[in-house]
Amino acid sequence: MTHVDLGGTGAAAGGSKVLRGYLATPAGTGPFPGVVMIHEAFGLNDQIRRHADRLAAAGYLTLAVDLYSDGGPRRCLAGTMKSMITGEGRVFADIAAARSWLKASSLCTGRTGVIGFCMGGGFALLAANDGFDAASVNYGRLPRDLEPALRGACPLVANYGARDRTLRGAAARLESALDAAGVEHDVKEFPTAGHSFLNDREEGPRALRPLTRVMGIGPDPAAAPEAWRRIEDHFAKHLKA
């Protein structure tokens, strides 16, 4: 497990001049399927690194790309969120650069997936039609023009929480749009879970945690194991076959 410098691989296409990530490598000699992981709004922190390590343990060369590489969270967050609204810009060039970096690695089979959590789940959904073989969307925000954004998307697994007050009805809307777009999918809303329920501990400033609990944000040890099994089964079917 190591931090890697992806260089300016996406700069020519409008990506970051400096792009970094965290690479989690499975045990063994490989090659392995690759997965680009996209972090929450809090950035590439220890929680995301643990998520990457978990996928590596399941046999995936996992690159958690740091969308805040070129300036840090304070300078990059606004532009990052703008990219989610517009569906274009630096973030998508960075995600494509991370995928290209994985595919060029001698440790990668050439098959790649994308996974995201919270903010990253929204980006994983938008990137699902951009050259990936499988996608995992976890409590990701839906774009305004949902059905056009999904056309040509790769097979997708999605996990949402019924107690997530920030994304009420998102799972049902996503499933309906995927049906209409003819995209292979498996969407589930967990009744006991809220937002960020796959995390193994609370995130964000300690002073705000009482508010996040009220908003239905935080770990759910009851739902998380099944959600992870769904992710791993989906990637095994589409990336390891």
Side-chain angles (χ1 to χ4, degrees):
M1 318 305 170
T2 183
H3 291 272
V4 293
D5 187 346
L6 309 183
T9 50
S16 298
K17 294 179 182 178
V18 176
L19 186 60
R20 301 184 181 91
Y22 174 79
L23 183 67
T25 305
T29 58
F32 312 99
V35 174
V36 174
M37 181 172 287
I38 311 173
H39 56 71
E40 298 180 326
F42 295 120
L44 180 48
N45 56 17
D46 287 343
Q47 177 65 74
I48 298 300
R49 285 186 278 270
R50 289 194 297 274
H51 285 338
D53 291 344
R54 181 181 186 124
L55 273 187
Y60 302 95
L61 184 66
T62 306
L63 176 58
V65 60
D66 184 357
L67 299 182
Y68 302 154
S69 295
D70 209 5
R74 290 186 180 182
R75 291 183 57 188
C76 296
L77 180 58
T80 300
M81 297 309 295
K82 182 179 178 181
S83 283
M84 180 174 290
I85 293 170
T86 63
E88 58 187 18
R90 173 187 58 80
V91 171
F92 295 98
D94 287 348
I95 294 170
R99 184 189 66 240
S100 296
W101 190 94
L102 277 175
K103 290 174 75 74
S105 171
S106 61
L107 288 175
C108 184
T109 62
R111 295 190 67 78
T112 57
V114 60
I115 184 171
F117 307 88
C118 184
M119 178 187 80
F123 281 120
L125 181 63
L126 291 169
N129 60 3
D130 189 24
F132 288 102
D133 299 297
S136 172
V137 174
N138 300 288
Y139 30 89
R141 189 165 298 278
L142 307 183
R144 291 193 186 99
D145 298 323
L146 183 54
E147 288 187 24
L150 294 175
R151 289 178 189 143
C154 60
L156 188 147
V157 64
N159 297 301
Y160 286 83
R163 296 185 177 179
D164 184 352
R165 295 186 180 183
T166 70
L167 292 171
R168 283 177 171 165
R173 293 198 304 274
L174 177 58
E175 184 157 36
S176 177
L178 289 166
D179 283 337
V183 175
E184 181 180 344
H185 63 277
D186 183 6
V187 179
K188 180 165 183 174
E189 184 179 76
F190 290 81
T192 65
H195 199 76
S196 296
F197 74 91
L198 285 171
N199 288 354
D200 55 26
R201 64 188 66 172
E202 291 182 293
E203 295 292 317
R206 189 174 299 275
L208 295 179
R209 289 179 186 175
L211 176 61
T212 61
R213 294 183 197 120
V214 170
M215 293 298 295
I217 301 173
D220 184 351
E226 182 183 348
W228 277 114
R229 283 195 299 272
R230 287 162 46 76
I231 293 166
E232 292 177 17
D233 288 348
H234 183 74
F235 280 163
K237 177 180 178 182
H238 296 287
L239 301 183
K240 288 185 175 180

